[in-house]
Amino acid sequence: MKKYRGLFGRWVLAGTMVMAVSACAGSVDNTPINGPIAAAADQSGWPLGPEQFGSTVVGVAFSGGGMRASAFSYGVLNELDRYEMTTERGQNRLTDMVDLVTGVSGGSVTAAYFGLKGREGLPDFRTRFLERNAEQGFDTEVSLGNVLRIVEDGGVNDRSKFPRWLDDNLFDGATYADLFARGRPLVWIAASDIYSRVPFVFEPITFNVLCSDLSKVRLSEAVAASAAVPGLFIPMNVENFGATCGGKVPQWYQRGIADPTAPATLKASAAAVMRYRSDPEKYRYVKLLDGGLTDNFGIHSLAVARTNRDRPYMPMTAEQAVRVKRFLFLVVDAGRDPAGNWPRNLASPSGFELAGVVTDAAIDSGVYKGYDYFTTIMRDWQDDLRRWRCSLSSAEVVKLRGTLAGWNCADVTFTVGRVSFEDAGPELKARLDKVPTRFKLDPQTLDTVISAGETALRNNAIFRSFIRKGPRRALTASVDTGMSRAE
């Protein structure tokens, strides 16, 4: 009898689980975050106009890492805002000279808000997001019901939660149309296409291929997709509308498939694009999770864009390419060193700990290789640009630039740097490595992380060198660095 009581108990438990799963499944909101575009639109080009790149171009990429990454990248922007540089347009704060911003996961929140509001939005970002508990926007409870939702639905939180919190507290319903209306900077938010296992970038080219209207996508949805940690979030859907608008796959993507010498990064991304275009019924929905799974530095966008080698200056326009002299691209890395005491013991990590270890290992092993690849791409782009500029006739230079005054075809330098916890110094780094990957920070920890971002940029050797070599007005001279800061 005891045996049967135990069996009956297991059946009751199984029945309870089934009912719980059924109840959860019926309430999931995983409807697509996008809609169709009526006809072929100009969504295939570089959105910045020819006048929007000056002689100095600044780009920043913000890594993942929850609120720690949001705060660290915010600190870097704060410090960047303290420097001025003399350009052909007069005195400019470096934050006003940022033309390119990319963001992943926690870094995507900072990237999107800075792209929407510019330097004027920096004070608000702290009070509206960093000082808040963003985990109020989603369920983090460890419970049987949530475990069942993961099993049945693929995650605990659907699109009805975090995007709404982000809109209510930060973005106020802003869409990509609002972002485009500002003109600059160009903002790339990256999630991960978990079927094709490649980054999915919220950009015009991607949405043109899907015949979808990016301008109507809410920033909160893009950011939530970029930060959708597996298990904690149900994958978010972007609908593929096939060829309904007449949009085409760019030729350079098509060549990426056929060219055996094409970079593997381009091949994988091109294969994903071609897959969705070739069979839109089979591949109707792009499933998105955390961007850090495929590119935790957020540099994939520019790397793939650069593989379009139809013209040596791509993805710049010819007009932009003859103006630029200095291009600084900073990768802001909020990643931590390995943690935990399990290496000292014979026993293996626990199941939950092991899941985190495996995820961290997969992300970290890829991002640093990706960064090395990115630096190579930027160096090749610089060399290609110099060769192209020096091949121009005087008449072509005047047509593109308006004048030959001050023209030096070889005067163009691309600089890539990584700003990390190491730049903040060993004492701060040790404290930063202990900050968990959550979407809330206590006030003291928040101050520490923001201050560390400021210190890290100030100490970064590549940034210091860039500032020393650039024209500037010495408002507050630093004796040891020669840099000028506007206080």
Side-chain angles (χ1 to χ4, degrees):
M1 189 69 181
K2 183 177 180 181
K3 174 182 177 181
Y4 290 104
R5 282 201 302 268
L7 180 61
F8 177 76
R10 288 195 292 273
W11 275 110
V12 170
L13 177 60
T16 303
M17 292 174 66
V18 169
M19 288 187 290
V21 168
S22 299
C24 290
S27 61
V28 170
D29 179 4
N30 63 349
T31 53
I33 64 176
N34 64 316
I37 197 165
D42 184 17
Q43 290 194 122
S44 59
W46 186 264
L48 296 177
E51 299 298 326
Q52 290 174 297
F53 273 5
S55 59
T56 301
V57 177
V58 178
V60 288
F62 299 140
S63 81
M67 190 70 84
R68 182 185 68 246
S70 303
F72 189 69
S73 55
Y74 172 78
V76 169
L77 285 175
N78 270 351
E79 183 65 20
L80 198 68
D81 192 55
R82 295 187 175 111
Y83 295 85
E84 288 191 342
M85 183 169 286
T86 303
T87 71
E88 71 282 3
R89 301 169 182 172
Q91 284 299 126
N92 287 279
R93 299 264 181 161
L94 284 188
T95 43
D96 283 331
M97 297 169 64
V98 173
D99 288 299
L100 307 171
V101 184
T102 76
V104 174
S105 195
S108 73
V109 190
T110 313
Y113 197 74
F114 179 73
L116 184 66
K117 300 292 186 177
R119 65 182 296 265
E120 294 80 10
L122 290 177
D124 287 343
F125 184 69
R126 174 164 184 153
T127 56
R128 298 190 66 181
F129 182 72
L130 296 178
E131 294 178 357
R132 304 291 304 277
N133 176 9
E135 292 183 9
Q136 293 174 339
F138 50 88
D139 187 357
T140 61
E141 181 183 2
V142 178
S143 65
L144 175 61
N146 281 346
V147 171
L148 295 177
R149 293 198 71 166
I150 294 173
V151 172
E152 178 69 12
D153 301 319
V156 176
N157 297 277
D158 61 23
R159 66 168 290 208
S160 67
K161 296 182 178 181
F162 196 36
R164 179 179 300 172
W165 188 94
L166 288 170
D167 269 332
D168 290 344
N169 293 280
L170 189 63
F171 292 116
D172 302 316
T175 66
Y176 268 81
D178 299 304
L179 203 59
F180 295 155
R182 286 185 59 89
R184 59 187 297 271
L186 185 155
V187 179
W188 281 314
I189 302 301
S192 292
D193 174 346
I194 58 174
Y195 181 85
S196 296
R197 293 168 287 183
V198 295
F200 178 93
V201 184
F202 285 81
E203 65 175 350
I205 291 175
T206 306
F207 279 75
N208 189 57
V209 170
L210 299 174
C211 281
S212 178
D213 191 350
L214 177 58
S215 68
K216 294 181 180 178
V217 174
R218 289 187 295 158
L219 292 180
S220 61
E221 303 275 19
V223 167
S226 181
V229 177
L232 188 59
F233 292 92
I234 296 171
M236 298 182 70
N237 283 308
V238 167
E239 188 166 357
N240 174 19
F241 297 98
T244 55
C245 67
K248 300 182 184 300
V249 176
Q251 287 292 325
W252 54 281
Y253 263 137
Q254 297 181 44
R255 288 196 300 271
I257 293 288
D259 182 2
T261 66
T265 302
L266 172 61
K267 278 186 171 294
S269 295
V273 167
M274 297 299 290
R275 183 179 297 120
Y276 287 106
R277 176 46 65 93
S278 65
D279 194 344
E281 287 300 317
K282 181 178 180 181
Y283 305 107
R284 184 173 176 182
Y285 300 105
V286 187
K287 307 285 184 179
L288 303 181
L289 281 175
D290 195 314
L293 297 173
T294 51
D295 174 23
N296 201 42
F297 283 171
I299 51 183
H300 172 88
S301 311
L302 188 54
V304 169
R306 178 57 199 140
T307 59
N308 178 1
R309 302 297 288 273
D310 287 343
R311 291 175 290 279
Y313 47 78
M314 292 294 288
M316 292 183 183
T317 66
E319 292 85 354
Q320 292 163 351
V322 295
R323 288 187 175 92
V324 64
K325 293 183 178 180
R326 303 288 178 267
F327 190 158
L328 172 68
F329 198 96
L330 295 173
V331 176
V332 181
D333 178 10
R336 302 176 299 169
D337 276 352
N341 294 321
W342 51 269
R344 69 195 301 176
N345 302 318
L346 183 62
S348 297
S350 66
F352 285 110
E353 190 174 19
L354 185 61
V357 169
V358 170
T359 301
D360 288 344
I363 290 175
D364 289 349
S365 65
V367 293
Y368 298 112
K369 294 175 185 176
Y371 177 74
D372 291 341
Y373 171 61
F374 179 72
T375 58
T376 300
I377 283 178
M378 293 295 282
R379 183 176 61 248
D380 291 346
W381 189 8
Q382 170 193 273
D383 295 343
D384 287 346
L385 194 55
R386 285 177 179 170
R387 281 192 292 269
W388 172 77
R389 284 162 52 121
C390 291
S391 73
L392 297 173
S393 67
S394 296
E396 289 172 321
V397 173
V398 171
K399 181 179 179 181
L400 292 169
R401 193 168 173 267
T403 178
L404 286 175
W407 172 246
N408 179 351
C409 67
D411 184 17
V412 55
T413 303
F414 286 16
T415 302
V416 180
R418 175 174 156 255
V419 182
S420 70
F421 291 170
E422 292 180 357
D423 293 307
E427 182 179 344
L428 265 178
K429 182 183 184 305
R431 296 165 63 186
L432 295 170
D433 281 340
K434 296 178 182 178
V435 179
T437 304
R438 300 285 300 269
F439 266 100
K440 62 178 181 179
L441 295 175
D442 64 79
Q444 183 177 357
T445 302
L446 176 63
D447 287 340
T448 297
V449 177
I450 292 174
S451 176
E454 297 170 347
T455 302
L457 181 63
R458 192 160 59 246
N459 291 345
N460 184 267
I462 290 176
F463 178 70
R464 287 156 60 103
S465 175
F466 176 83
I467 292 295
R468 280 197 302 268
K469 294 176 182 178
R472 62 199 184 279
R473 181 180 62 175
L475 297 180
T476 304
S478 174
V479 176
D480 59 331
T481 66
M483 292 187 288
S484 54
R485 304 172 67 212
E487 301 291 356

